Amino acid sequence: MRDLTRTEGIPLYVKIRESIRQKIAAEELVMGQKLPSEDELAAQYGVSRMTVRQGITDLIDEGLLYRRHGVGTFVAYPPVERDHSRLTNFFENSDAIGIKAKASLIMIEVEDAKLKAAKALNLTEGEPIIRIKTLRYADDIPVTVHDAHIPYKLFASILDMDQQKLETQHLWTFFESCGYRVKSAVQKLEAREADESLARLMEIEEGTPILYKERTVYADDGTPVEFTYCYNRGDRYSLTVTLHR
Amino acid sequence: MRDLTRTEGIPLYVKIRESIRQKIAAEELVMGQKLPSEDELAAQYGVSRMTVRQGITDLIDEGLLYRRHGVGTFVAYPPVERDHSRLTNFFENSDAIGIKAKASLIMIEVEDAKLKAAKALNLTEGEPIIRIKTLRYADDIPVTVHDAHIPYKLFASILDMDQQKLETQHLWTFFESCGYRVKSAVQKLEAREADESLARLMEIEEGTPILYKERTVYADDGTPVEFTYCYNRGDRYSLTVTLHR
DNA sequence: GAGTGGTCTAGACCACCCG
DNA sequence: GGGTGGTCTAGACCACTCG
């Protein structure tokens, strides 16, 4: 009890949450095991029950614990990897799995929005957008053609960025510097065949399977900030996602 | 104020949540608009602030609202369709989009688990599993070959079910009747080519693009209940998912 | 009936943002 | 400084599960 030394600025429920997480990691609490009751935990940590609940709720949202009304709170079996349900960008993700990521700029220009992009970005057809097309490499193998469309009126300043920076810094970092925090994305996935142009860029044969992805990215206030066509080499790319009922 | 007529059994925070949701639907609250402060809402509804917060938090999790510390709570722009981040089954999903769904049983049998399925289902290699292979139709066009593996020790009783029921009732309904509530699934997606056997079943040419999906389904206590290989016709099937940071 | 989580109160103080 | 959300308390009663 009382492993909550008063650390500056860290909320109690966060400390409790991390304390429980650590006990699970250290296997002081094993899979399927029942936690002490909320009342008991409140007493142990010297806080109110609502505070304990807040910490526990976070861990339930992460899939690390589950509750059974009238029974107790338990450690869930496989810590279902939430990573798979989190939205990550190409560079973050490659870092995480130890792949060397690289991008090369194919083109950046201002265009009139076509219907589909305009709709996704909440613009009217023909409004200016900035189109940024890159080829992305994993360990020096070309794996993805990335064709992003972003509203000109929000992000015109990206045109001043030098190519070097465009290739190494992710778009989302730039969005944040403009005050838009990326929160979610809706993506549609299909299997397709590589056409001639994709085949040339990715050094594959025409007709090779491609994992095609259309993605709209939203900031936390709901503003759509990016609409992207994404063509991934079928033999080099897979996407893992977690869904919940 | 006080549109909370005391309805039996419905928690206050649910009523508040639905009341706010309805105001958004009715456009009494429009996109980007600031809600009354939590204190004010508490006064309006005649409840404590914590109760209001609980209702609001639900709507934030749904993406309908967002909070800005020190500023206020606002209506988010496009009600990002949470449907896309929810785990649905083939029949539910078809219903929702108005497609006539049908399944025909290709085979059901008991097998020894191969390494991959065993690993996913937390079994040891060679333990018995039940393998259920179906061909699924959307509006009478074959779109998916579904090859499910479920632990024999949990679900042996499915073998007594008649074929008619197997084809019309979803597996998950059966799982629930055995006490396992489906909570989440991890799915890996790839683009592939149809091999000869898939091509024959789905009435397409060999080499046609296939959206290949490997899926492990978990109950809410974390027990893996299903491991499935899923082959979807590229020209007739797309998958939409929502991801969050 | 005992034990658990689910809901709820009526306050409090703090941290943040803005004018 | 005034208004907002973020955290927290010390209780309370209810609903559910189980033996």
Side-chain angles (χ1 to χ4, degrees):
Chain A
M1 58 214 81
R2 191 62 38 76
D3 29 9
L4 304 184
T5 43
R6 267 274 163 208
T7 319
E8 281 318 315
I10 299 179
L12 289 172
Y13 77 89
V14 172
K15 291 193 222 167
I16 291 165
R17 183 183 73 203
E18 296 311 316
S19 161
I20 296 173
R21 191 203 304 284
Q22 197 197 329
K23 280 180 184 160
I24 294 171
E27 297 190 18
E28 284 175 56
L29 292 167
V30 301
M31 313 266 177
Q33 185 177 335
K34 189 172 156 312
L35 268 69
S37 74
E38 296 178 351
D39 275 327
E40 202 174 325
L41 285 169
Q44 279 182 25
Y45 287 114
V47 301
S48 82
R49 189 179 147 214
M50 287 298 268
T51 304
V52 168
R53 269 182 78 78
Q54 197 173 351
I56 290 179
T57 300
D58 281 357
L59 294 173
I60 288 170
D61 289 343
E62 283 183 49
L64 219 55
L65 302 177
Y66 65 100
R67 278 199 263 247
R68 283 274 184 273
H69 191 172
V71 187
T73 305
F74 303 82
V75 182
Y77 284 92
V80 165
E81 297 158 50
R82 281 292 277 189
D83 284 352
H84 295 150
S85 67
R86 268 204 243 119
L87 182 58
T88 55
N89 66 47
F90 181 66
F91 299 99
E92 282 170 2
N93 194 47
S94 305
D95 269 8
I97 57 181
I99 283 177
K100 196 177 69 175
K102 203 178 71 180
S104 77
L105 187 66
I106 300 172
M107 67 111 151
I108 175 167
E109 55 185 47
V110 179
E111 291 184 2
D112 298 341
K114 295 204 179 56
L115 183 60
K116 197 160 185 173
K119 248 179 158 167
L121 292 172
N122 239 340
L123 305 174
T124 56
E125 205 176 339
E127 249 186 284
I129 50 122
I130 302 167
R131 188 163 163 203
I132 304 167
K133 210 163 158 179
T134 53
L135 177 59
R136 294 168 176 211
Y137 300 82
D139 287 336
D140 296 318
I141 298 168
V143 291
T144 299
V145 172
H146 193 269
D147 185 2
H149 304 63
I150 66 180
Y152 178 81
K153 63 182 178 195
L154 299 181
F155 302 118
S157 64
I158 201 172
L159 297 168
D160 304 329
M161 221 186 259
D162 63 33
Q163 175 161 346
Q164 157 73 15
K165 202 162 178 191
L166 270 173
E167 290 183 343
T168 53
Q169 184 198 277
H170 192 83
L171 271 180
W172 299 355
T173 313
F174 172 71
F175 295 161
E176 289 213 6
S177 73
C178 300
Y180 291 90
R181 226 182 324 161
V182 166
K183 199 197 59 185
S184 64
V186 175
Q187 9 193 70
K188 184 171 141 191
L189 296 149
E190 291 179 20
R192 297 198 172 179
E193 292 179 355
D195 62 19
E196 185 276 333
S197 133
L198 282 174
R200 192 161 23 80
L201 281 168
M202 295 209 271
E203 303 164 18
I204 51 180
E205 283 187 27
E206 222 178 306
T208 304
I210 292 287
L211 186 62
Y212 168 79
K213 187 163 79 184
E214 259 170 39
R215 180 168 78 173
T216 309
V217 180
Y218 298 90
D220 67 350
D221 69 348
T223 308
V225 292
E226 173 192 337
F227 175 74
T228 297
Y229 297 108
C230 211
Y231 305 87
N232 306 287
R233 261 176 74 166
D235 60 339
R236 290 285 175 177
Y237 186 95
S238 73
L239 178 72
T240 304
V241 297
T242 304
L243 296 178
H244 299 266
R245 285 220 97 175
Chain B
M1 58 214 87
R2 190 61 38 78
D3 29 9
L4 303 185
T5 43
R6 266 278 162 205
T7 319
E8 281 319 316
I10 299 180
L12 289 172
Y13 76 89
V14 172
K15 290 192 223 169
I16 291 165
R17 183 183 73 203
E18 297 311 317
S19 161
I20 295 173
R21 190 202 305 283
Q22 197 197 328
K23 279 179 184 161
I24 295 172
E27 297 189 20
E28 283 175 59
L29 292 168
V30 302
M31 313 266 178
Q33 185 177 337
K34 188 172 157 311
L35 267 68
S37 74
E38 296 179 351
D39 276 326
E40 202 174 325
L41 285 170
Q44 278 182 26
Y45 286 114
V47 301
S48 83
R49 189 179 147 212
M50 287 299 267
T51 305
V52 168
R53 269 182 78 77
Q54 197 172 351
I56 290 179
T57 301
D58 280 358
L59 294 173
I60 288 170
D61 289 343
E62 283 183 49
L64 220 54
L65 302 178
Y66 65 101
R67 278 197 264 246
R68 283 275 185 272
H69 192 172
V71 187
T73 305
F74 303 82
V75 182
Y77 285 92
V80 167
E81 296 159 50
R82 281 291 277 190
D83 285 351
H84 295 151
S85 68
R86 267 203 244 119
L87 181 60
T88 56
N89 66 49
F90 181 67
F91 298 100
E92 283 170 2
N93 194 48
S94 305
D95 270 7
I97 57 180
I99 283 177
K100 197 176 70 176
K102 202 178 71 179
S104 78
L105 187 66
I106 300 173
M107 67 110 149
I108 174 168
E109 55 185 45
V110 179
E111 290 184 1
D112 297 341
K114 295 203 178 56
L115 182 60
K116 197 161 186 172
K119 246 178 159 170
L121 292 171
N122 240 341
L123 306 174
T124 56
E125 204 177 341
E127 249 186 283
I129 50 122
I130 302 167
R131 188 164 165 203
I132 305 168
K133 210 164 160 179
T134 54
L135 178 59
R136 295 169 176 210
Y137 299 83
D139 288 337
D140 296 317
I141 298 167
V143 290
T144 299
V145 171
H146 193 269
D147 185 5
H149 304 62
I150 65 180
Y152 178 82
K153 64 181 178 195
L154 300 181
F155 303 118
S157 64
I158 201 172
L159 297 168
D160 304 328
M161 220 186 259
D162 62 34
Q163 175 161 345
Q164 156 73 15
K165 202 163 177 190
L166 270 173
E167 290 183 343
T168 53
Q169 186 198 276
H170 191 83
L171 271 180
W172 298 355
T173 312
F174 172 71
F175 294 161
E176 289 214 8
S177 72
C178 300
Y180 291 91
R181 226 184 323 161
V182 166
K183 197 197 60 185
S184 63
V186 176
Q187 8 193 69
K188 184 171 140 190
L189 296 149
E190 291 180 19
R192 297 199 172 178
E193 293 180 352
D195 62 19
E196 185 276 334
S197 132
L198 283 175
R200 191 161 26 79
L201 282 167
M202 294 209 270
E203 303 165 17
I204 51 180
E205 284 187 28
E206 224 177 303
T208 303
I210 292 288
L211 185 63
Y212 168 80
K213 186 163 79 184
E214 260 170 39
R215 180 168 77 175
T216 309
V217 180
Y218 297 91
D220 67 351
D221 67 348
T223 308
V225 292
E226 174 193 338
F227 176 74
T228 297
Y229 296 109
C230 212
Y231 305 87
N232 306 287
R233 261 176 75 165
D235 60 339
R236 291 283 175 177
Y237 186 95
S238 73
L239 178 72
T240 304
V241 296
T242 304
L243 296 178
H244 298 266
R245 284 220 98 175

